[in-house]
Amino acid sequence: MTSRTEPGPDRPDPGLSVLVGERRQLIDIAYRLLGSLAEAEDAVQEACTRWYAMSRQQREAVESPGAWLTTVASRICLDVLGSARARRERYVGEWIPEPLPDGTQWLHGRPGAGGDPADLVTLDESVDMAFLVVLESMTPAERVAFVLHDVFQYPFADVAAIVGRTPAACRQLASSGRRRIRAARPPVAPRVREEEARIIREFKQAWVAKDIAALVGLLDPDATMTADGGGLAGAALRPVTGAERIARYIVGIGDLAPGMELLERSVNGRPGLAARRGGVTVTVAAFGLAGERIAQIWAVRNPEKLGRWGG
């Protein structure tokens, strides 16, 4: 870091425009690192607070405010990931990353959003729920190294400064993360998004009709359904496995929740479902497909993770 100019009392803060311009990128990184938008926003806010905790002279001495903010926010996320492991050991049931609606739903459904596009996460395959679930299996250092290098293309020298390891060690961490991704997500033929939507629509229709045979036909025989209630909403404490068991389980949910409305919604950029009851979103389901069948269902029921879905 080098000083380029002397501070002047009437000169605008050189980092202010950077804070505004970098916010979305910082949120993008932090959400992928933490799997929680609330925690991502807190991490980015803390990085901004630390920026303004410095004197003006110190801020003007920063050669690249954007790089400084990314480094600080990523280190905060690394610390959060370490403490999150202990918290999630005490979590009631299974923990699933916070699901995100698409931009239009978000802007209209998030309380107090104000329509600020900087508050939106860029939705691409790196926020696919299946991808985020694999990230959860990584160590904090693996996750940071893999996300920063493989997803955001940061050089290993920069990653090393954040993680506190050598560039060679960070290369190994990212490689280990890559192996986890490949093992959990074997290559499949590219699928048109409309085809995914068709399969999810048929699943919704069979669910509404309580057609167990049709549901079983849409599910992979070894399918897994994982629910996250966080102890605040009813949910199976362990994954439900097998097509018929899942089909009977979700039909039973419908019987216990009369008046539930199922809506087709984008979940983390892919076709999914949202269940509403009494005008409130009570469940958001993301899906992982294998061929023409559903292999994974992630059902988030914890109300603390559904605030951006309206109701």
Side-chain angles (χ1 to χ4, degrees), residues 125-284:
E125 65 178 11
S126 67
V127 292
D128 178 311
M129 188 61 76
F131 188 88
L132 291 176
V133 168
V134 180
L135 291 182
E136 286 295 316
S137 70
M138 299 182 186
T139 68
E142 273 180 340
R143 187 166 183 168
V144 173
F146 173 79
V147 168
L148 289 179
H149 180 267
D150 282 45
V151 178
F152 290 95
Q153 308 303 307
Y154 283 89
F156 283 118
D158 292 351
V159 176
I162 293 168
V163 178
R165 310 279 183 95
T166 66
C170 289
R171 188 183 299 275
Q172 289 299 316
L173 288 170
S175 177
S176 175
R178 218 171 292 130
R179 287 195 296 272
R180 290 180 189 264
I181 294 289
R182 285 197 297 265
R185 304 179 71 197
V188 296
R191 182 182 294 103
V192 178
R193 203 58 64 88
E194 287 78 5
E195 180 66 11
E196 290 186 29
R198 178 190 64 78
I199 295 171
I200 303 307
R201 183 174 301 116
E202 291 180 2
F203 183 85
K204 170 200 163 187
Q205 292 167 345
W207 189 351
V208 171
K210 300 182 181 180
D211 188 338
I212 289 178
L215 288 168
V216 170
L218 290 164
L219 290 161
D220 185 270
D222 298 319
T224 300
M225 176 179 176
T226 305
D228 176 350
L232 301 175
L237 297 179
R238 295 288 181 269
V240 180
T241 58
E244 185 163 352
R245 288 186 65 199
I246 293 172
R248 294 189 180 281
Y249 179 82
I250 65 173
V251 167
I253 290 174
D255 290 339
L256 293 173
M260 185 174 68
E261 179 185 17
L262 282 178
L263 304 171
E264 296 172 37
R265 290 290 184 264
S266 171
V267 181
N268 286 57
R270 307 196 77 86
L273 295 175
R276 291 175 66 84
R277 192 180 185 200
V280 176
T281 299
V282 294
T283 304
V284 170

Side-chain angles (χ1 to χ4, degrees), residues 18 76 79 100 267:
V18 175
I76 292 169
D79 290 340
L100 300 182
V267 181

Side-chain angles (χ1 to χ4, degrees), residues 42-59:
D42 288 345
V44 172
Q45 182 60 43
E46 174 62 22
C48 294
T49 298
R50 293 185 189 183
W51 170 263
Y52 280 111
M54 296 191 297
S55 68
R56 184 184 180 93
Q57 186 174 13
Q58 288 174 318
R59 295 198 300 270

Side-chain angles (χ1 to χ4, degrees), residues 18-63:
V18 175
L19 290 177
V20 175
E22 292 288 322
R23 177 174 169 78
R24 183 165 184 165
Q25 170 84 346
L26 294 172
I27 292 289
D28 275 351
I29 291 172
Y31 173 72
R32 287 160 177 80
L33 290 179
L34 300 176
S36 163
L37 188 56
E39 291 183 348
E41 290 172 332
D42 288 345
V44 172
Q45 182 60 43
E46 174 62 22
C48 294
T49 298
R50 293 185 189 183
W51 170 263
Y52 280 111
M54 296 191 297
S55 68
R56 184 184 180 93
Q57 186 174 13
Q58 288 174 318
R59 295 198 300 270
E60 290 198 354
V62 176
E63 184 174 1

